[in-house]
Amino acid sequence: MSFDFDTPLELRAGHCQKWQGIGNAMAELSADEDCSNILPMWVADMDFAAAPPIRAALQAEIDRGYLGYFGVTAPVSEAVSGWLSRRHGWAVDPGVIRYSHGVVAGFATTIAAFTEQGDSVILFTPVYHTFFSKLRAMGREIHESPLLRREGRYEMDLDALAAALTGREKALVLCSPHNPGGRLWAPDEIRAVAAFCEAHDLLLISDEIHMDLTFPDIPFHPTATAAPEALPRLVVLTAASKGFNIAGGETGLVIIPDENLRTRYEASARVMGGTPNRFGMAMTKAAFTDGDEWSAAVRAYLAENFRLWQHRIGALPGIEVMAMQATYLSWVNFENTGMAVEEVRSRLVRTAEVAPSAGHAFGSGGECWNRFNIAMPRPLLEEAITRIEGAFSDLQ
Ligand SMILES: Cc1ncc(COP(=O)(O)O)c(C=O)c1O
């Protein structure tokens, strides 16, 4: 079966945050500004229609007509477990899977369960910006461990981290695959993180939401399989939402193999209450049961988008596109253009009329970077590239 990722959808209506929230989100614009010519490259959604089996599953919910509280999660957990084993070689007991209203809510519930106000949480920065805002809102200290850049890719510096520990750290967050930067951590790196957590008695929170977005033929290594020794201290957060473009379903998976940890998580989750989102659950089950073909097709499309993007944007003098093996979020360094950060942002947003995420939000080390979402129909991507080339045509 072939899928049409090339034809743009009409997304400037229909409550699409990525397309309709540009004016509010970009510091360079005012909220009431006309953004109708700006191509959004910020929010991590793809500009593609969801897979046919997912849409059919939603339609079946509508046709049944009953839209009450969701119950009996077991068939969804079976589907999740089937996918994790089939796609990622991770055999998960369906009984240990819990559901949250999105991965970030699962993250916050985990932080509430295992840490106290004033405790410190380790982030390898630059990293997904919402970790910062959640931790701050919850009164947790953030211990930033700067990623090193070696041969064009990020690496963790666990020796420097060990030397910088304050004693207040209670948890460490691994973003795997890494957002931004699109790096896949190798099994030996994951094992080193597990050993570090063991040595310093830290909870290991592995956010694997981008697990299904590796480029073709590149395997993803779940933390649980790369470092099974970490299971007694491991919380895995993941979802079908990124890989299948169904984030509006707000359904996160919280996988905690250790029973004691799971009990603590559940106590924290009870405070928030709530049954899973009916539509998110239907979509998750359909994605993980019948989504294989669409997933393979979208990953191939994204890899080709990245090839094109890297070929042209990476050729601009002074602009470095970080190599990536996963996600559709391309991390681009403007430091060697010699331009001030504000000048770069103005050229991108005002001159080129593209709207990437500004790098400073991802923590220290991100200041001179921008994160571009390239999950768009190829004609639109080519348009975005041409605009950026035009806005920086004076670079030598
Ligand atoms: C690493 C990471 N975690 C979590 C999320 C958001 O998850 P959710 O929308 O399910 O809360 C994102 C979104 O881009 C992400 O990149």
Side-chain angles (χ1 to χ4, degrees), residues 43-45 101-106 127-131 175-177 179 207-210 238-239 241-242 247 250-252 328-329 371:
V43 175
D45 276 329
H101 290 162
V103 165
V104 169
V127 76
Y128 176 54
H129 44 82
T130 306
F131 292 146
C175 189
S176 174
N179 166 20
D207 181 332
E208 304 183 2
I209 193 172
H210 295 280
T238 189
S241 57
K242 291 295 146 183
E250 290 287 0
T251 297
Y328 45 73
L329 303 165
R371 193 195 72 176

Side-chain angles (χ1 to χ4, degrees), residues 28-342:
E28 296 73 22
L29 303 170
S30 52
D32 56 355
E33 200 148 330
D34 175 15
C35 297
S36 56
N37 196 41
I38 297 184
L39 291 172
M41 302 183 84
W42 59 305
V43 175
D45 276 329
M46 304 191 247
D47 293 338
F48 309 136
I54 295 177
R55 294 155 72 189
L58 281 183
Q59 193 60 54
E61 289 290 323
I62 305 294
D63 291 345
R64 193 179 304 111
Y66 175 81
L67 302 179
Y69 291 118
F70 188 86
V72 191
T73 54
V76 184
S77 298
E78 292 288 344
V80 173
S81 169
W83 177 266
L84 291 173
S85 142
R86 178 164 95 245
R87 272 279 293 132
H88 302 301
W90 179 18
V92 177
D93 171 0
V96 309
I97 301 170
R98 298 291 177 269
Y99 296 91
S100 58
H101 290 162
V103 165
V104 169
F107 175 74
T109 307
T110 304
I111 295 297
F114 298 102
T115 69
E116 310 272 339
Q117 293 241 347
D119 284 349
S120 182
V121 176
I122 298 165
L123 299 179
F124 294 103
T125 57
V127 76
Y128 176 54
H129 44 82
T130 306
F131 292 146
F132 293 90
S133 49
K134 277 289 159 199
L135 290 170
R136 285 194 189 114
M138 296 177 78
R140 271 47 168 187
E141 195 178 279
I142 298 170
H143 184 134
E144 289 196 42
S145 178
L147 289 164
L148 301 176
R149 221 149 33 97
R150 284 213 187 107
E151 291 169 23
R153 65 174 205 176
Y154 280 134
E155 289 182 10
M156 292 174 273
D157 188 349
L158 295 177
D159 292 337
L161 176 58
L165 290 176
T166 62
R168 291 190 294 279
E169 295 80 3
K170 292 285 165 9
L172 176 152
V173 181
L174 183 69
C175 189
S176 174
H178 188 70
N179 166 20
R183 246 224 82 182
L184 280 177
W185 304 113
D188 60 332
E189 292 173 296
I190 297 171
R191 278 195 292 274
V193 169
F196 186 91
C197 289
E198 167 94 44
H200 300 283
D201 195 18
L202 301 167
L203 182 77
L204 172 51
I205 304 173
S206 190
D207 181 332
E208 304 183 2
I209 193 172
H210 295 280
M211 66 183 181
D212 291 320
L213 289 168
T214 55
F215 291 165
D217 302 323
I218 299 185
F220 166 69
H221 302 289
T223 296
T225 58
E229 62 277 19
L231 294 188
R233 54 179 69 251
L234 180 65
V235 173
V236 177
L237 304 171
T238 189
S241 57
K242 291 295 146 183
F244 288 92
N245 203 30
I246 52 174
E250 290 287 0
T251 297
L253 308 170
V254 183
I255 305 179
I256 309 180
D258 182 84
E259 192 178 344
N260 288 335
L261 293 191
R262 204 161 58 245
T263 304
R264 280 177 72 181
Y265 175 87
E266 281 164 354
S268 171
R270 264 196 297 281
V271 176
M272 302 301 290
T275 54
N277 179 301
R278 166 172 297 280
F279 302 105
M281 293 297 268
M283 292 195 282
T284 300
K285 178 164 174 270
F288 285 157
T289 307
D290 295 314
D292 301 60
E293 231 183 317
W294 189 90
S295 171
V298 86
R299 289 160 59 225
Y301 194 88
L302 293 173
E304 180 55 23
N305 270 12
F306 181 65
R307 198 197 57 74
L308 177 73
W309 168 262
Q310 187 179 38
H311 178 69
R312 288 180 52 188
I313 298 300
L316 297 175
I319 297 184
E320 173 200 349
V321 175
M322 187 171 270
M324 59 198 250
Q325 303 102 43
T327 85
Y328 45 73
L329 303 165
S330 173
W331 190 230
V332 181
N333 185 6
F334 290 81
E335 193 173 0
N336 293 333
T337 60
M339 289 178 199
V341 171
E342 298 73 27

